[in-house]
Amino acid sequence: MFSFLAQYQGIMSALRFHLLSPIALLVGTVALPGEASAQCRLCEAPTTTLDPESDSTPIKLDIQARLDFDQLILRDNSAGMARLSPDGSRSSSGSIESVSGRALVGSVIVRGEPGRLVKIGFPGAIELTSATGSAIRLTNLTSDLPAAARLDSNGQLQFRFGGEINVSGNVEGAYRGDIPITVDYL
């Protein structure tokens, strides 16, 4: 009889708990404060426009001068290299005797939000082509940018860049190409 009574009391405790649980839930929902603002982020219609206050100034890139090797004087059709550094210095080797005195380094001004750090990227190499379809490569693009490029208090950053041209064979002609420069805020 003792074991039957212990089981009966266990069943009654479980039954009381199950009967009291819905009452406790009902009391809990009634005791909550009134409507809370900003609890439901999906209750309002979403906006897809940019917030003008948090919007940063767009970046603008202005080319002041194009990278221009002007004329290279070749001795023969063997391999040669011409280098134009960001500081304006010129050098040549191999079949290239000299780089013209009218050669120009590239010059760029970046405009944007004052004081912001920016990341500026150059391609590893580009192909320059002539009207006849022949091609040469511009490689080792370098600039005088500091390691951490930052726009000044006026939102500007000016830098210069240069590169190397490697030639081999009969490469007579005028060569052109585009250098894609990327600028992003950090």
Side-chain angles (χ1 to χ4, degrees):
M1 176 126 172
F2 179 72
S3 65
F4 174 76
L5 183 59
Q7 286 179 348
Y8 177 74
Q9 287 176 344
I11 292 171
M12 287 305 290
S13 296
L15 185 58
R16 255 188 244 132
F17 176 75
H18 286 298
L19 289 175
L20 292 176
S21 294
I23 295 170
L25 284 174
L26 182 61
V27 170
T29 56
V30 172
L32 288 177
E35 184 179 322
S37 61
Q39 273 189 331
C40 178
R41 297 172 81 181
L42 298 175
C43 295
E44 295 179 17
T47 60
T48 56
T49 58
L50 293 174
D51 181 9
E53 291 178 20
S54 68
D55 206 14
S56 59
T57 306
I59 296 175
K60 185 177 180 188
L61 184 82
D62 291 323
I63 306 298
Q64 299 298 303
R66 295 179 185 178
L67 178 61
D68 187 352
F69 282 82
D70 192 46
Q71 294 180 351
L72 304 176
I73 300 173
L74 301 174
R75 231 183 327 218
D76 54 37
N77 290 339
S78 62
M81 183 273 307
R83 177 179 296 126
L84 187 54
S85 298
D87 65 3
S89 62
R90 302 163 179 83
S91 62
S92 61
S93 64
S95 67
I96 299 177
E97 285 191 23
S98 68
V99 180
S100 168
R102 296 182 299 185
L104 296 172
V105 296
S107 178
V108 175
I109 294 180
V110 177
R111 291 183 172 85
E113 190 174 320
R116 289 285 301 264
L117 284 169
V118 290
K119 177 183 176 187
I120 300 174
F122 291 96
I126 65 161
E127 191 171 272
L128 304 174
T129 56
S130 71
T132 61
S134 56
I136 58 175
R137 291 184 63 78
L138 174 63
T139 60
N140 296 326
L141 288 160
T142 57
S143 73
D144 61 1
L145 285 165
R150 182 183 300 272
L151 300 177
D152 65 14
S153 60
N154 295 322
Q156 296 184 5
L157 171 67
Q158 185 169 5
F159 67 92
R160 297 168 16 136
F161 65 95
E164 282 182 14
I165 290 183
N166 294 290
V167 298
S168 181
N170 184 6
V171 291
E172 209 172 303
Y175 291 83
R176 298 183 185 273
D178 292 326
I179 301 172
I181 300 172
T182 59
V183 182
D184 293 307
Y185 287 128
L186 290 179

PDB file of all heavy atoms in Angstrom, residues 147-169:
ATOM      1  N   ALA A 147      52.936  53.962 -47.537  1.00  0.00           N
ATOM      2  CA  ALA A 147      52.364  52.645 -47.212  1.00  0.00           C
ATOM      3  C   ALA A 147      50.906  52.768 -46.793  1.00  0.00           C
ATOM      4  O   ALA A 147      50.077  51.933 -47.149  1.00  0.00           O
ATOM      5  CB  ALA A 147      53.181  51.982 -46.113  1.00  0.00           C
ATOM      6  N   ALA A 148      50.572  53.798 -46.023  1.00  0.00           N
ATOM      7  CA  ALA A 148      49.187  54.044 -45.604  1.00  0.00           C
ATOM      8  C   ALA A 148      48.738  55.351 -46.257  1.00  0.00           C
ATOM      9  O   ALA A 148      48.979  56.431 -45.723  1.00  0.00           O
ATOM     10  CB  ALA A 148      49.078  54.130 -44.086  1.00  0.00           C
ATOM     11  N   ALA A 149      48.117  55.259 -47.428  1.00  0.00           N
ATOM     12  CA  ALA A 149      47.693  56.446 -48.166  1.00  0.00           C
ATOM     13  C   ALA A 149      46.443  57.037 -47.515  1.00  0.00           C
ATOM     14  O   ALA A 149      45.472  56.335 -47.270  1.00  0.00           O
ATOM     15  CB  ALA A 149      47.416  56.090 -49.617  1.00  0.00           C
ATOM     16  N   ARG A 150      46.492  58.332 -47.246  1.00  0.00           N
ATOM     17  CA  ARG A 150      45.386  59.026 -46.574  1.00  0.00           C
ATOM     18  C   ARG A 150      45.101  60.334 -47.305  1.00  0.00           C
ATOM     19  O   ARG A 150      46.011  61.053 -47.683  1.00  0.00           O
ATOM     20  CB  ARG A 150      45.753  59.311 -45.124  1.00  0.00           C
ATOM     21  CG  ARG A 150      44.664  59.992 -44.325  1.00  0.00           C
ATOM     22  CD  ARG A 150      45.108  60.308 -42.903  1.00  0.00           C
ATOM     23  NE  ARG A 150      45.487  59.148 -42.136  1.00  0.00           N
ATOM     24  CZ  ARG A 150      44.635  58.401 -41.420  1.00  0.00           C
ATOM     25  NH1 ARG A 150      43.355  58.698 -41.396  1.00  0.00           N
ATOM     26  NH2 ARG A 150      45.072  57.368 -40.735  1.00  0.00           N
ATOM     27  N   LEU A 151      43.809  60.648 -47.458  1.00  0.00           N
ATOM     28  CA  LEU A 151      43.418  61.929 -48.034  1.00  0.00           C
ATOM     29  C   LEU A 151      43.715  63.031 -47.018  1.00  0.00           C
ATOM     30  O   LEU A 151      43.536  62.832 -45.812  1.00  0.00           O
ATOM     31  CB  LEU A 151      41.932  61.919 -48.393  1.00  0.00           C
ATOM     32  CG  LEU A 151      41.506  60.853 -49.410  1.00  0.00           C
ATOM     33  CD1 LEU A 151      39.998  60.903 -49.630  1.00  0.00           C
ATOM     34  CD2 LEU A 151      42.231  61.023 -50.723  1.00  0.00           C
ATOM     35  N   ASP A 152      44.170  64.185 -47.494  1.00  0.00           N
ATOM     36  CA  ASP A 152      44.517  65.271 -46.579  1.00  0.00           C
ATOM     37  C   ASP A 152      43.263  65.966 -46.041  1.00  0.00           C
ATOM     38  O   ASP A 152      42.134  65.529 -46.295  1.00  0.00           O
ATOM     39  CB  ASP A 152      45.470  66.270 -47.256  1.00  0.00           C
ATOM     40  CG  ASP A 152      44.840  67.008 -48.435  1.00  0.00           C
ATOM     41  OD1 ASP A 152      43.611  66.983 -48.605  1.00  0.00           O
ATOM     42  OD2 ASP A 152      45.614  67.627 -49.196  1.00  0.00           O
ATOM     43  N   SER A 153      43.449  67.070 -45.318  1.00  0.00           N
ATOM     44  CA  SER A 153      42.320  67.771 -44.690  1.00  0.00           C
ATOM     45  C   SER A 153      41.376  68.398 -45.723  1.00  0.00           C
ATOM     46  O   SER A 153      40.250  68.744 -45.396  1.00  0.00           O
ATOM     47  CB  SER A 153      42.821  68.840 -43.720  1.00  0.00           C
ATOM     48  OG  SER A 153      43.617  69.783 -44.421  1.00  0.00           O
ATOM     49  N   ASN A 154      41.836  68.539 -46.956  1.00  0.00           N
ATOM     50  CA  ASN A 154      40.982  69.032 -48.046  1.00  0.00           C
ATOM     51  C   ASN A 154      40.349  67.883 -48.826  1.00  0.00           C
ATOM     52  O   ASN A 154      39.667  68.118 -49.822  1.00  0.00           O
ATOM     53  CB  ASN A 154      41.785  69.910 -49.015  1.00  0.00           C
ATOM     54  CG  ASN A 154      42.279  71.168 -48.357  1.00  0.00           C
ATOM     55  OD1 ASN A 154      41.580  71.767 -47.544  1.00  0.00           O
ATOM     56  ND2 ASN A 154      43.490  71.571 -48.684  1.00  0.00           N
ATOM     57  N   GLY A 155      40.627  66.642 -48.415  1.00  0.00           N
ATOM     58  CA  GLY A 155      40.073  65.476 -49.109  1.00  0.00           C
ATOM     59  C   GLY A 155      40.807  65.154 -50.396  1.00  0.00           C
ATOM     60  O   GLY A 155      40.213  64.607 -51.317  1.00  0.00           O
ATOM     61  N   GLN A 156      42.117  65.447 -50.457  1.00  0.00           N
ATOM     62  CA  GLN A 156      42.898  65.201 -51.670  1.00  0.00           C
ATOM     63  C   GLN A 156      44.155  64.409 -51.379  1.00  0.00           C
ATOM     64  O   GLN A 156      44.717  64.487 -50.281  1.00  0.00           O
ATOM     65  CB  GLN A 156      43.296  66.518 -52.334  1.00  0.00           C
ATOM     66  CG  GLN A 156      42.131  67.314 -52.828  1.00  0.00           C
ATOM     67  CD  GLN A 156      42.580  68.577 -53.560  1.00  0.00           C
ATOM     68  OE1 GLN A 156      43.756  68.807 -53.771  1.00  0.00           O
ATOM     69  NE2 GLN A 156      41.627  69.397 -53.941  1.00  0.00           N
ATOM     70  N   LEU A 157      44.588  63.666 -52.383  1.00  0.00           N
ATOM     71  CA  LEU A 157      45.852  62.939 -52.328  1.00  0.00           C
ATOM     72  C   LEU A 157      46.412  62.929 -53.740  1.00  0.00           C
ATOM     73  O   LEU A 157      45.742  62.481 -54.671  1.00  0.00           O
ATOM     74  CB  LEU A 157      45.649  61.504 -51.831  1.00  0.00           C
ATOM     75  CG  LEU A 157      46.862  60.583 -51.925  1.00  0.00           C
ATOM     76  CD1 LEU A 157      47.960  61.037 -50.968  1.00  0.00           C
ATOM     77  CD2 LEU A 157      46.462  59.149 -51.632  1.00  0.00           C
ATOM     78  N   GLN A 158      47.617  63.455 -53.907  1.00  0.00           N
ATOM     79  CA  GLN A 158      48.246  63.463 -55.225  1.00  0.00           C
ATOM     80  C   GLN A 158      49.409  62.479 -55.199  1.00  0.00           C
ATOM     81  O   GLN A 158      50.159  62.413 -54.225  1.00  0.00           O
ATOM     82  CB  GLN A 158      48.758  64.858 -55.587  1.00  0.00           C
ATOM     83  CG  GLN A 158      49.310  64.906 -56.993  1.00  0.00           C
ATOM     84  CD  GLN A 158      49.575  66.325 -57.469  1.00  0.00           C
ATOM     85  OE1 GLN A 158      49.432  67.282 -56.735  1.00  0.00           O
ATOM     86  NE2 GLN A 158      49.957  66.444 -58.714  1.00  0.00           N
ATOM     87  N   PHE A 159      49.541  61.709 -56.284  1.00  0.00           N
ATOM     88  CA  PHE A 159      50.670  60.794 -56.394  1.00  0.00           C
ATOM     89  C   PHE A 159      51.105  60.682 -57.848  1.00  0.00           C
ATOM     90  O   PHE A 159      50.378  61.038 -58.761  1.00  0.00           O
ATOM     91  CB  PHE A 159      50.347  59.419 -55.800  1.00  0.00           C
ATOM     92  CG  PHE A 159      49.309  58.640 -56.535  1.00  0.00           C
ATOM     93  CD1 PHE A 159      49.662  57.732 -57.537  1.00  0.00           C
ATOM     94  CD2 PHE A 159      47.963  58.785 -56.230  1.00  0.00           C
ATOM     95  CE1 PHE A 159      48.704  57.017 -58.212  1.00  0.00           C
ATOM     96  CE2 PHE A 159      47.000  58.058 -56.893  1.00  0.00           C
ATOM     97  CZ  PHE A 159      47.371  57.169 -57.889  1.00  0.00           C
ATOM     98  N   ARG A 160      52.324  60.182 -58.021  1.00  0.00           N
ATOM     99  CA  ARG A 160      52.882  59.970 -59.360  1.00  0.00           C
ATOM    100  C   ARG A 160      53.214  58.499 -59.514  1.00  0.00           C
ATOM    101  O   ARG A 160      53.460  57.804 -58.527  1.00  0.00           O
ATOM    102  CB  ARG A 160      54.130  60.834 -59.529  1.00  0.00           C
ATOM    103  CG  ARG A 160      53.795  62.307 -59.436  1.00  0.00           C
ATOM    104  CD  ARG A 160      54.963  63.257 -59.310  1.00  0.00           C
ATOM    105  NE  ARG A 160      56.278  62.798 -59.626  1.00  0.00           N
ATOM    106  CZ  ARG A 160      57.168  63.471 -60.343  1.00  0.00           C
ATOM    107  NH1 ARG A 160      56.857  64.646 -60.834  1.00  0.00           N
ATOM    108  NH2 ARG A 160      58.371  63.000 -60.550  1.00  0.00           N
ATOM    109  N   PHE A 161      53.226  58.030 -60.756  1.00  0.00           N
ATOM    110  CA  PHE A 161      53.547  56.626 -60.995  1.00  0.00           C
ATOM    111  C   PHE A 161      54.347  56.464 -62.281  1.00  0.00           C
ATOM    112  O   PHE A 161      54.319  57.313 -63.166  1.00  0.00           O
ATOM    113  CB  PHE A 161      52.274  55.760 -61.026  1.00  0.00           C
ATOM    114  CG  PHE A 161      51.340  56.067 -62.167  1.00  0.00           C
ATOM    115  CD1 PHE A 161      51.389  55.335 -63.349  1.00  0.00           C
ATOM    116  CD2 PHE A 161      50.400  57.081 -62.059  1.00  0.00           C
ATOM    117  CE1 PHE A 161      50.527  55.619 -64.392  1.00  0.00           C
ATOM    118  CE2 PHE A 161      49.534  57.366 -63.093  1.00  0.00           C
ATOM    119  CZ  PHE A 161      49.595  56.633 -64.271  1.00  0.00           C
ATOM    120  N   GLY A 162      55.084  55.370 -62.337  1.00  0.00           N
ATOM    121  CA  GLY A 162      55.902  55.036 -63.497  1.00  0.00           C
ATOM    122  C   GLY A 162      55.879  53.536 -63.729  1.00  0.00           C
ATOM    123  O   GLY A 162      55.106  52.810 -63.098  1.00  0.00           O
ATOM    124  N   GLY A 163      56.742  53.058 -64.616  1.00  0.00           N
ATOM    125  CA  GLY A 163      56.781  51.630 -64.918  1.00  0.00           C
ATOM    126  C   GLY A 163      57.939  51.285 -65.842  1.00  0.00           C
ATOM    127  O   GLY A 163      58.820  52.105 -66.101  1.00  0.00           O
ATOM    128  N   GLU A 164      57.918  50.048 -66.352  1.00  0.00           N
ATOM    129  CA  GLU A 164      58.960  49.530 -67.236  1.00  0.00           C
ATOM    130  C   GLU A 164      58.344  49.029 -68.529  1.00  0.00           C
ATOM    131  O   GLU A 164      57.276  48.402 -68.509  1.00  0.00           O
ATOM    132  CB  GLU A 164      59.664  48.330 -66.607  1.00  0.00           C
ATOM    133  CG  GLU A 164      60.657  48.644 -65.584  1.00  0.00           C
ATOM    134  CD  GLU A 164      61.330  47.389 -65.047  1.00  0.00           C
ATOM    135  OE1 GLU A 164      61.214  46.289 -65.643  1.00  0.00           O
ATOM    136  OE2 GLU A 164      61.967  47.511 -63.992  1.00  0.00           O
ATOM    137  N   ILE A 165      59.039  49.277 -69.624  1.00  0.00           N
ATOM    138  CA  ILE A 165      58.651  48.695 -70.911  1.00  0.00           C
ATOM    139  C   ILE A 165      59.762  47.750 -71.330  1.00  0.00           C
ATOM    140  O   ILE A 165      60.946  48.128 -71.338  1.00  0.00           O
ATOM    141  CB  ILE A 165      58.449  49.781 -71.996  1.00  0.00           C
ATOM    142  CG1 ILE A 165      57.190  50.576 -71.676  1.00  0.00           C
ATOM    143  CG2 ILE A 165      58.357  49.150 -73.374  1.00  0.00           C
ATOM    144  CD1 ILE A 165      56.854  51.627 -72.697  1.00  0.00           C
ATOM    145  N   ASN A 166      59.382  46.527 -71.648  1.00  0.00           N
ATOM    146  CA  ASN A 166      60.336  45.535 -72.143  1.00  0.00           C
ATOM    147  C   ASN A 166      60.037  45.277 -73.612  1.00  0.00           C
ATOM    148  O   ASN A 166      58.883  45.014 -73.966  1.00  0.00           O
ATOM    149  CB  ASN A 166      60.221  44.232 -71.340  1.00  0.00           C
ATOM    150  CG  ASN A 166      60.662  44.448 -69.907  1.00  0.00           C
ATOM    151  OD1 ASN A 166      61.831  44.639 -69.640  1.00  0.00           O
ATOM    152  ND2 ASN A 166      59.705  44.453 -68.999  1.00  0.00           N
ATOM    153  N   VAL A 167      61.064  45.373 -74.438  1.00  0.00           N
ATOM    154  CA  VAL A 167      60.894  45.183 -75.880  1.00  0.00           C
ATOM    155  C   VAL A 167      61.831  44.093 -76.384  1.00  0.00           C
ATOM    156  O   VAL A 167      62.870  43.820 -75.785  1.00  0.00           O
ATOM    157  CB  VAL A 167      61.151  46.494 -76.659  1.00  0.00           C
ATOM    158  CG1 VAL A 167      60.156  47.564 -76.241  1.00  0.00           C
ATOM    159  CG2 VAL A 167      62.564  46.996 -76.476  1.00  0.00           C
ATOM    160  N   SER A 168      61.432  43.508 -77.491  1.00  0.00           N
ATOM    161  CA  SER A 168      62.264  42.517 -78.159  1.00  0.00           C
ATOM    162  C   SER A 168      61.806  42.415 -79.607  1.00  0.00           C
ATOM    163  O   SER A 168      60.601  42.346 -79.880  1.00  0.00           O
ATOM    164  CB  SER A 168      62.123  41.158 -77.470  1.00  0.00           C
ATOM    165  OG  SER A 168      62.956  40.225 -78.104  1.00  0.00           O
ATOM    166  N   GLY A 169      62.762  42.449 -80.535  1.00  0.00           N
ATOM    167  CA  GLY A 169      62.407  42.347 -81.950  1.00  0.00           C
ATOM    168  C   GLY A 169      62.056  43.700 -82.539  1.00  0.00           C
ATOM    169  O   GLY A 169      62.340  44.746 -81.960  1.00  0.00           O
TER     170      GLY A 169
END
